[in-house]
Amino acid sequence: MANPAEKPDPIPSTPKLEPKDEREELEDINGEEEEEEEYEDEDDGKPRTREDAIADRIKAESLFRRMRETPVAVRVHDVIVKGNEKTKDHVIEAEVDVLRQATTLQELLKASNVANFNLKALDIFDAVKITLDSGPPELPGTTNVVIDVVESKSPFIGQVGTFTKAEAKSSSLEGSLKYKNIFGYGDIWDGSLAYGCDHSTEVGLGMSLPRFRGRPTPFTSRVYLSTQDWLKFSSYKERALGLSLGLIASKYHELAYNIAWRNLIDPSQTASRSIRRQLGHNLVSALKYTFKFDQRNSSLRPTRGYSFISTSQIGGLAPDSRTLRFLRQEIDLRYAVPLGFYRAALNFGVAGGITFPWGSEYKSKASCIPERFFLGGNISPVCSLGGPSALWGFKTRGLGPNEPRREVQDNESGDTYERDFVGGDVAVTAFADLSFDFPLKWFRDRGIHGHVFACAGNMAELSENKYRNFTASKFLQTFRSSVGAGIVVPTSLFRMELNYCHILKKQEHDRAKSGFFMTFSTSS
C-alpha cells in the first residue's frame, strides 16, 4: 500500500506523515517503498505550507499511538479500480473482497496485504498498488480503497527447458507458451509440449479462470494427449487422450474430475501374463479430492513444522462397460524437528496407500496396472509429498510384485528371465532424514549442507482374491530398507543430492544396489 504520508487525506483525520516503523508496515502492502512527493491540495492545486506539514505529522503520531493502544474503527465505503483497460472490474473486485470485511484500520492494513497478494497471483499485472483515501465528507469514519493496476505489456510468456530423471536414465525437452487475459476475465490460455528420450510425449492445451461467474475458487481445464513408455520396467506403453477439470482449488482443498480414453499396448510382445491380460482400450472417469495442510518452513529443506496430505479417488463414474471402476486412497504425514545446532533438523515421515476395484465380483477382479502403486526411483522422500513412492537406492519400479516376461534372456545374469514389475494394491513407506550445516561459512552461505538418512517400504497385491494370503507378519518380514549419507545442493527450482546409499534389505529380483548416486528432486 502506498505511504499515507505521501497522499492527501488518506482517511478522515488521518495525517500525512508517520513514524518510520509504521510507514514500513504500510509500504509492505505494495512490496516497495514509494518515492516522496510534494504535498499538494488536490482541491485547488496549491502547495501545502510548512505549518500544514507539521499539523499532519502531529495527527499521524496521534493516530499511530491510538493504533498501538486500541483498534481504530473504520468502514470501507467504496473500492475504486484504476488502470485496468482490459481486465473487467468484477474480476479484480472478487480478489479484493476481503477489504470490505475490515472493521478497523488494523484489519484493513492486513486485508490490503492479502488483496495485493491475490491480485499478483492472477499473473496478469506487472504492478499492483493499493492506497487509502478519505470517504465522503458526510460519512465520517469511512475510507475509499483505491487499487491501481498495471496490466502486463506482453501477454505472451514462453518457456523451454531440459529435465533429467537420473534413475530412469531419461531426459525430456519441455516447452510451454501462455497467452494471458485474452478476454479480460483474468483468463490464461497455455499450450505445452514435452518429449522424452525414452519416446514419452505429452501435448496439452489448458485454460484457467479466476472465480468465474462468482465461483469461490478458480476453474481450470486441460485437454491432453500423452504417451508413457514403461517398456523397460513393466513391458507396456500407455497412451491417453483426456480432459481434466479443476472444480475446486482452495488453500486446503482440491477437487478435480478426469476423463480419458486410455490404451495399453505391448510393441515388444514380451509382456508377462498379468500385463497381457490388461492390454487394450479402457475409459477412465474419476473424481479426485485432495486435502493438503503444509506448515513446514520449506519444501526443499524443512527444518520445522509438519504437513499432511490425503488424496481420495473414485473411478468408474460412467455407464460404459469398459469404464475402470476403482477406489484409491493415499495419505502422507511429515514432521520436522529443529535440533538447535548447525541448523540441524530431523525430518521423518510415513506414507501409505491402498487401491481396490469395485463393482460386481470385485474380489476376484484384477486392479488396473496404471492405478497401482510402484515404489523406487532415487528421488528424495523429503520432497516427494503426496503418497508412497520414493526409496533411496532402489531403481524406478524396482521392487514389489513381479512376474517373468516371455522367454527373453536376461542380459545381466544370463540364466534367468527378465521380469515385469506389476505394482501393488497396498504400499507403505517411511523415512528419517537428519540434515545439518557444514562448519565452513562458504557452504552455509550457499545453502549446501549434509544429511544422513534411512528409509523402508513395501507393497503387496490384494485383488484377484490375493488378500486371502496377506498377513501383517509376512508383510513386515519382506520390508525393504536402506541407509546412507550425502551432500545436498539446493537451488530455487530443485534439490540436488550426491549420496552414498547402502542397501540393508532387499528381496529376490529387486533392482537395488549400494553405491554413489546423483539425484535431482523437485517439491511436490
Side-chain angles (χ1 to χ4, degrees):
M1 189 178 84
N3 189 346
E6 299 159 1
K7 301 292 179 181
D9 298 327
I11 57 174
S13 300
T14 301
K16 304 293 187 298
L17 295 176
E18 64 282 331
K20 180 179 178 181
D21 57 342
E22 301 293 349
R23 176 161 44 195
E24 290 176 352
E25 179 182 358
L26 298 178
E27 288 164 353
D28 285 343
I29 296 175
N30 290 314
E32 58 183 7
E33 185 175 351
E34 300 292 333
E35 297 181 358
E36 292 193 8
E37 301 174 358
E38 294 183 0
Y39 293 95
E40 296 184 355
D41 192 330
E42 291 185 350
D43 295 332
D44 54 16
K46 295 181 181 181
R48 293 182 180 272
T49 64
R50 182 179 181 84
E51 289 75 11
D52 292 333
I54 294 175
D56 289 340
R57 182 183 296 276
I58 295 174
K59 291 179 181 179
E61 292 175 353
S62 174
L63 172 64
F64 291 120
R65 280 196 300 269
R66 289 173 56 199
M67 290 179 61
R68 285 191 292 266
E69 295 172 358
T70 183
V72 179
V74 68
R75 181 172 62 85
V76 175
H77 174 261
D78 195 9
V79 176
I80 303 171
V81 180
K82 297 181 179 180
N84 55 321
E85 298 179 358
K86 190 174 185 179
T87 310
K88 311 298 183 183
D89 285 352
H90 65 82
V91 174
I92 299 176
E93 291 171 355
E95 301 297 329
V96 301
D97 187 62
V98 64
L99 294 169
R100 299 183 181 276
Q101 302 173 13
T103 58
T104 66
L105 187 57
Q106 291 88 336
E107 291 179 359
L108 187 57
L109 293 176
K110 294 179 181 179
S112 298
N113 272 311
V114 175
N116 186 279
F117 175 83
N118 290 344
L119 291 176
K120 290 181 177 179
L122 293 178
D123 198 26
I124 59 175
F125 301 119
D126 289 337
V128 176
K129 182 171 67 174
I130 300 177
T131 59
L132 304 182
D133 200 355
S134 58
E138 63 273 14
L139 297 176
T142 63
T143 182
N144 290 332
V145 180
V146 182
I147 301 174
D148 289 287
V149 297
V150 178
E151 295 177 329
S152 298
K153 296 180 180 178
S154 177
F156 285 101
I157 295 180
Q159 293 179 332
V160 178
T162 302
F163 301 88
T164 301
K165 299 178 181 179
E167 248 343 89
K169 297 182 180 179
S170 65
S171 299
S172 62
L173 178 65
E174 301 181 15
S176 65
L177 181 65
K178 292 184 179 181
Y179 193 171
K180 301 184 294 185
N181 210 19
I182 300 177
F183 302 107
Y185 292 97
D187 47 302
I188 297 180
W189 303 75
D190 71 277
S192 62
L193 173 64
Y195 178 78
C197 295
D198 58 355
H199 307 295
S200 297
T201 60
E202 180 172 344
V203 180
L205 296 174
M207 180 270 295
S208 64
L209 286 173
R211 309 195 184 198
F212 181 62
R213 293 190 177 277
R215 290 176 50 85
T217 61
F219 172 81
T220 62
S221 64
R222 188 166 195 82
V223 179
Y224 62 90
L225 175 63
S226 66
T227 300
Q228 296 290 330
D229 190 339
W230 301 111
L231 288 173
K232 179 180 178 181
F233 312 106
S234 304
S235 291
Y236 73 89
K237 277 189 174 183
E238 177 184 341
R239 296 175 178 174
L241 172 63
L243 170 66
S244 178
L245 300 176
L247 305 177
I248 296 176
S250 62
K251 184 177 181 180
Y252 301 118
H253 307 277
E254 290 185 7
L255 181 65
Y257 173 74
N258 183 65
I259 183 168
W261 185 251
R262 189 164 62 188
N263 185 23
L264 304 184
I265 62 173
D266 173 26
S268 66
Q269 300 296 312
T270 62
S272 60
R273 178 174 176 270
S274 292
I275 301 295
R276 292 198 305 269
R277 289 169 56 190
Q278 297 205 19
L279 298 179
H281 295 273
N282 52 58
L283 179 65
V284 180
S285 176
L287 197 64
K288 180 179 180 180
Y289 168 72
T290 302
F291 172 79
K292 185 175 183 179
F293 186 82
D294 193 347
Q295 292 295 310
R296 298 176 299 170
N297 59 344
S298 172
S299 57
L300 294 178
R301 187 193 176 183
T303 57
R304 63 169 55 87
Y306 62 95
S307 63
F308 174 78
I309 185 171
S310 171
T311 303
S312 307
Q313 289 190 72
I314 177 171
L317 306 179
D320 193 284
S321 60
R322 287 169 291 185
T323 301
L324 295 178
R325 291 177 168 81
F326 65 92
L327 301 173
R328 181 183 172 106
Q329 176 65 48
E330 300 171 77
I331 59 172
D332 201 338
L333 176 64
R334 307 291 177 86
Y335 204 91
V337 181
L339 301 182
F341 59 91
Y342 285 107
R343 205 185 167 205
L346 176 62
N347 276 270
F348 57 90
V350 59
I354 186 171
T355 183
F356 215 78
W358 65 274
S360 60
E361 301 180 354
Y362 69 94
K363 293 183 179 180
S364 60
K365 287 183 178 179
S367 57
C368 183
I369 293 289
E371 307 305 332
R372 294 182 182 178
F373 296 96
F374 292 88
L375 300 184
N378 236 357
I379 61 175
S380 173
V382 177
C383 302
S384 57
L385 179 64
S389 62
L391 284 178
W392 276 297
F394 290 83
K395 294 186 177 181
T396 301
R397 296 196 177 201
L399 70 150
N402 57 84
E403 294 182 5
R405 296 180 179 179
R406 291 185 178 181
E407 299 193 2
V408 176
Q409 199 73 9
D410 184 83
N411 294 328
E412 297 180 359
S413 62
D415 56 0
T416 60
Y417 297 109
E418 289 189 13
R419 307 182 74 85
D420 283 338
F421 287 85
V422 297
D425 300 307
V426 60
V428 177
T429 59
F431 79 92
D433 179 273
L434 175 62
S435 62
F436 51 88
D437 278 347
F438 292 116
L440 296 179
K441 184 177 183 299
W442 188 89
F443 288 102
R444 294 198 304 269
D445 291 343
R446 289 159 178 79
I448 301 174
H449 60 279
H451 73 141
V452 295
F453 55 82
C455 64
N458 201 7
M459 64 172 69
E461 293 180 284
L462 299 177
S463 56
E464 294 184 289
N465 291 316
K466 293 180 181 178
Y467 67 91
R468 297 175 179 175
N469 301 323
F470 177 85
T471 62
S473 59
K474 182 179 178 180
F475 188 71
L476 293 174
Q477 290 173 3
T478 56
F479 251 75
R480 285 79 165 170
S481 59
S482 64
V483 296
I487 299 175
V488 180
V489 182
T491 71
S492 59
L493 299 178
F494 58 86
R495 167 185 171 122
M496 182 178 70
E497 300 180 16
L498 176 60
N499 296 325
Y500 177 80
C501 187
H502 177 69
I503 304 299
L504 293 178
K505 189 176 182 180
K506 67 176 184 177
Q507 302 299 319
E508 185 181 8
H509 306 301
D510 285 353
R511 296 173 180 172
K513 65 177 182 179
S514 300
F516 287 94
F517 299 92
M518 179 75 77
T519 65
F520 300 87
S521 307
T522 58
S523 59
S524 58

